[in-house]
Amino acid sequence: LSKERGKNEFTFYNAELNSYMKRKMEMENHLKKAIDKNQFSLVYQPKVNFLTNKIVGMEALLRWEHPEYGLVSPAEFIPIAEETGQIEAIGKWVLETACKQNKSWQNQGFPPLSVSVNVSVLQFQNGKFLKTVKSVLEESKLDAQFLELEITESIMQNIRESKDILTHLKALGVKISIDDFGTGYSSLHILSKLPIDTIKIDKSFIDELDQLDRSPIIKAIIDLSLNLNLSIVAEGIETENQLAFLQESGCMIGQGYLFSKPLKTNEFEQLIKINGLKSFEKQHSL
Ligand code: C2E
Ligand code: MG
Ligand code: MG
Ligand code: MG
């Protein structure tokens, strides 16, 4: 019996692995055509200043809508794009789209905001990244100060090269933010070694605020960044409790469902239309 069962399990495992590999390979092929088929779009999540309740910027987040798969999460397709090298073209599309959109909002007379774009480490270290950023800024005519690049601690794996690229980016006037701060192995090291502007406290720490009651770790991260003259942004704020704690601790900027989910271009535009006139309404999620 046990032999029989073992055999079945093996077959089952194989079948599951096969269907996983199959989906991955199919996805790879569909991903190749996604730009040309206009299947990508960006959504924008507002960054809010807690004191003024005004929007101070937005994070551009990539969405892939496929006719068969439906909406695919970036958590699923970004790793595939990285593996296959498609991240380069996709990342460029994201940069172009975000910068053009931001410039267009400025041209329409909205108060200038900074757009944050997520950058994959592989994209960052491919040797062409600096050139791409330069040409995108030139073509979109967006002033560099209104572009922020979000990179993760994994750039520390290649610290010399990363420092070099960052120094050039900073010379252009672009801002640098460390995303998911505190989740990697080099959180403290990165602060002393690389020229950065902002740290984004990872959502996992914000989540703990409701469980562990007043996490000393977050207080320490906020103090540290303030002492180093870095901006600090909290991500994934969902509750009034979390917001109150952050404010008490000196963190004044953040994003999360408490304020708004990421919004489609036209929805975000509606929001910034009233931004200058009216305080941001929480739970504005559409
Ligand atoms: P991230 O950069 O850390 O982005 C934050 C993620 O948390 C986003 O998920 C956002 O929608 C979600 N989020 C924001 N506020 C809340 C909240 O209050 N509660 C909860 N539960 N979630 C919240 P999303 O859009 O699914 O993106 C996931 C990750 O995919 C991003 O994490 C980023 O690492 C990556 N990603 C997204 N767009 C791009 C892109 O254009 N390029 C690259 N390289 N990566 C991207
Ligand atoms: Mg991000
Ligand atoms: Mg993040
Ligand atoms: Mg995160």
Side-chain angles (χ1 to χ4, degrees):
L1 185 78
S2 82
K3 210 176 175 186
E4 194 61 24
R5 207 176 139 232
K7 195 177 159 198
N8 283 343
E9 265 174 14
F10 178 73
T11 314
F12 173 70
Y13 171 75
N14 235 354
E16 220 179 38
L17 187 69
N18 274 340
S19 80
Y20 167 79
M21 295 297 285
K22 199 167 159 237
R23 175 169 161 104
K24 206 181 135 193
M25 278 168 65
E26 281 172 3
M27 204 169 260
E28 254 178 66
N29 286 327
H30 290 305
L31 210 47
K32 276 181 204 145
K33 301 168 212 147
I35 292 182
D36 288 341
K37 291 193 166 177
N38 282 319
Q39 290 166 352
F40 286 131
S41 63
L42 294 183
V43 287
Y44 298 90
Q45 187 178 38
K47 269 185 207 170
V48 179
N49 178 316
F50 310 145
L51 286 181
T52 60
N53 271 333
K54 295 274 163 66
I55 299 172
V56 293
M58 57 281 183
E59 177 174 9
L61 293 156
L62 184 56
R63 295 291 177 262
W64 180 25
E65 178 91 55
H66 186 267
E68 223 177 285
Y69 302 139
L71 199 61
V72 189
S73 162
E76 182 173 13
F77 72 82
I78 293 282
I80 296 177
E82 286 177 336
E83 235 176 82
T84 57
Q86 299 173 58
I87 191 67
E88 196 180 313
I90 296 174
K92 188 173 181 208
W93 182 91
V94 172
L95 257 180
E96 278 169 356
T97 308
C99 289
K100 274 187 208 158
Q101 184 59 65
N102 199 18
K103 182 67 185 179
S104 154
W105 280 325
Q106 292 182 6
N107 285 343
Q108 288 173 60
F110 297 120
L113 298 171
S114 171
V115 69
S116 304
V117 173
N118 291 285
V119 176
S120 145
V121 188
L122 288 172
Q123 182 190 357
F124 182 81
Q125 292 174 341
N126 75 358
K128 299 177 209 158
F129 185 63
L130 186 67
K131 220 175 136 194
T132 303
V133 172
K134 254 189 204 166
S135 78
V136 167
L137 285 173
E138 269 162 30
E139 275 165 37
S140 65
K141 301 192 172 64
L142 180 72
D143 194 308
Q145 64 172 308
F146 300 116
L147 173 63
E148 181 176 68
L149 301 173
E150 293 193 2
I151 45 181
T152 60
E153 288 169 40
S154 42
I155 60 161
M156 292 295 281
Q157 280 163 12
N158 212 334
I159 184 164
R160 284 176 131 225
E161 191 190 348
S162 292
K163 187 172 183 179
D164 198 49
I165 303 168
L166 287 180
T167 307
H168 283 99
L169 286 168
K170 297 276 298 174
L172 289 180
V174 172
K175 301 278 191 304
I176 306 296
S177 173
I178 302 301
D179 205 352
D180 306 333
F181 183 82
T183 58
Y185 293 107
S186 4
S187 305
L188 293 181
H189 211 46
I190 204 169
L191 300 177
S192 57
K193 298 289 181 195
L194 297 180
I196 60 175
D197 301 283
T198 305
I199 68 181
K200 274 185 100 167
I201 315 177
D202 190 63
K203 182 180 189 308
S204 58
F205 293 104
I206 308 299
D207 288 342
E208 281 177 4
L209 286 179
D210 280 336
Q211 300 156 18
L212 294 181
D213 191 38
R214 327 258 111 165
S215 163
I217 297 275
I218 300 217
K219 271 214 161 81
I221 294 178
I222 295 170
D223 282 346
L224 186 65
S225 64
L226 294 175
N227 286 332
L228 292 170
N229 274 324
L230 299 171
S231 308
I232 181 122
V233 175
E235 72 172 16
I237 306 166
E238 292 179 346
T239 68
E240 291 286 351
N241 247 2
Q242 295 166 347
L243 176 63
F245 176 87
L246 289 166
Q247 270 186 290
E248 275 167 35
S249 309
C251 173
M252 292 306 160
I253 295 176
Q255 50 190 107
Y257 294 172
L258 179 65
F259 300 101
S260 169
K261 290 196 167 160
L263 302 172
K264 292 189 178 133
T265 309
N266 61 323
E267 295 169 340
F268 188 82
E269 200 167 303
Q270 290 307 309
L271 201 57
I272 52 174
K273 258 183 194 155
I274 57 170
N275 186 37
L277 310 167
K278 202 173 133 191
S279 283
F280 188 84
E281 286 171 32
K282 282 175 204 153
Q283 310 287 16
H284 204 284
S285 330
L286 298 170

